[in-house]
Amino acid sequence: MGAFGGYTTWAIVFLIIFVLFFLFVPTYGAGYGA
């Protein structure tokens, strides 16, 4: 674990969550819009 060990892990987790959120939001938006 270096100086950026924990930061890199959190960055990857945050990136995965952000991608999933970005993929699921349009489907929920279209569902609520219709």
Side-chain angles (χ1 to χ4, degrees), residues 1-9:
M1 290 289 284
F4 290 97
Y7 181 79
T8 307
T9 305

Side-chain angles (χ1 to χ4, degrees), residues 4-15:
F4 290 97
Y7 181 79
T8 307
T9 305
W10 273 109
I12 293 169
V13 172
F14 188 79
L15 185 68

Side-chain angles (χ1 to χ4, degrees), residues 14-29:
F14 188 79
L15 185 68
I16 293 169
I17 292 171
F18 186 78
V19 170
L20 289 174
F21 188 77
F22 202 77
L23 287 173
F24 278 117
V25 161
T27 55
Y28 280 122

